[in-house]
Amino acid sequence: MGAAIFANLHHALVYSNMFKQYEFDGFIVLVILMCFLFYKSEKIGYKTLAILWSILIWCSQISCFIEGGLLLSELLFSNILKSKKNIKEFFITGSLISLSFIIYYFAWASRMTPIQEMQDFWKFHFFPLIPLNTNDINRIISLATGQIFSKFSHTYETLTLFFISLGFFIYKKDKTIIGIYLEFLVTLFASYLKLYPISDRTCFFVFPL
């Protein structure tokens, strides 16, 4: 069913016929999620997960967002702090991934974000996570309804379901789904820092999730 829905998204069909990185971003996000599910089902260990995630950061910038969201979910909703073994595993995993991200950032990303032409082009696509005035509130509404969810039918109904589902999964303590929601928050925070623009194509990775 999921594949059928995805295959009928006009946006997905358009970019599947272009030489763009957006489809690949969506694929990498799914690979990261599969690695996490293998780890939770004890098919791979935390060291393998850490190595795979550290490598995947170099495949797509989006990797940082979903890995951060899933790690936050583990920290908030697991009993990590009650076990020295779990604390050790979480610290090693987080440290290795963070080191990979820092090297990646200074090797490539830090040279791209200050480019004035890019900042000017995307200046209306940075998400004001902490709105300070009515313009910021209007931009939040515009980006949510006109970019992130615009390719779904019944935009406002989809947004409503999005937030209702969040409450349900928090109640159920589903760490994987909550991690995906937190990934959205990490993405918006990066956008707030003007490190990542919010548009229908740059947020293409949302669709497979």
Side-chain angles (χ1 to χ4, degrees):
M1 180 64 72
I5 294 173
F6 188 65
N8 282 280
L9 283 171
H10 177 262
H11 203 51
L13 297 176
V14 168
Y15 281 104
S16 66
N17 289 282
M18 294 184 183
F19 188 69
K20 296 283 187 178
Q21 76 273 23
Y22 309 118
E23 291 265 7
F24 186 68
D25 286 341
F27 171 73
I28 292 297
V29 162
L30 292 180
V31 172
I32 291 170
L33 188 57
M34 290 298 297
C35 291
F36 182 74
L37 293 174
F38 285 145
Y39 164 71
K40 297 303 293 182
S41 61
E42 299 183 348
K43 293 181 180 179
I44 62 174
Y46 74 94
K47 292 180 180 178
T48 303
L49 177 71
I51 292 171
L52 289 173
W53 275 13
S54 299
I55 294 172
L56 288 168
I57 282 178
W58 291 80
C59 297
S60 172
Q61 186 176 353
I62 305 303
S63 304
C64 311
F65 304 150
I66 189 164
E67 290 176 13
L70 291 170
L71 286 175
L72 277 175
S73 178
E74 279 291 290
L75 182 62
L76 294 173
F77 294 94
S78 295
N79 296 321
I80 290 176
L81 300 179
K82 296 182 180 179
S83 168
K84 291 184 178 179
K85 178 177 178 292
N86 290 340
I87 293 174
K88 176 184 176 182
E89 291 183 2
F90 184 85
F91 178 77
I92 292 174
T93 303
S95 297
L96 187 58
I97 293 169
S98 297
L99 178 61
S100 179
F101 171 74
I102 290 170
I103 296 173
Y104 163 80
Y105 179 80
F106 285 104
W108 187 83
S110 64
R111 294 181 296 155
M112 301 300 295
T113 51
I115 296 176
Q116 191 59 46
E117 290 80 2
M118 292 184 63
Q119 291 290 326
D120 290 341
F121 181 82
W122 292 111
K123 63 182 178 180
F124 295 113
H125 290 269
F126 293 121
F127 195 89
L129 189 61
I130 304 175
L132 301 177
N133 50 52
T134 55
N135 288 334
D136 288 345
I137 294 175
N138 289 334
R139 187 182 299 181
I140 289 174
I141 296 172
S142 174
L143 290 175
T145 59
Q147 298 294 335
I148 303 175
F149 293 96
S150 62
K151 302 305 175 183
F152 292 94
S153 300
H154 310 294
T155 300
Y156 291 102
E157 290 86 346
T158 303
L159 272 169
T160 302
L161 183 61
F162 181 85
F163 287 108
I164 292 175
S165 299
L166 173 60
F168 173 77
F169 289 118
I170 290 177
Y171 173 75
K172 289 292 186 179
K173 294 184 179 180
D174 189 317
K175 294 186 289 293
T176 302
I177 302 298
I178 292 171
I180 292 174
Y181 274 92
L182 287 174
E183 177 248 359
F184 296 143
L185 182 61
V186 174
T187 304
L188 296 180
F189 181 70
S191 184
Y192 175 70
L193 297 177
K194 296 187 177 181
L195 298 176
Y196 195 79
I198 301 298
S199 77
D200 51 8
R201 61 183 185 273
T202 61
C203 289
F204 185 83
F205 64 94
V206 170
F207 299 140
L209 293 175

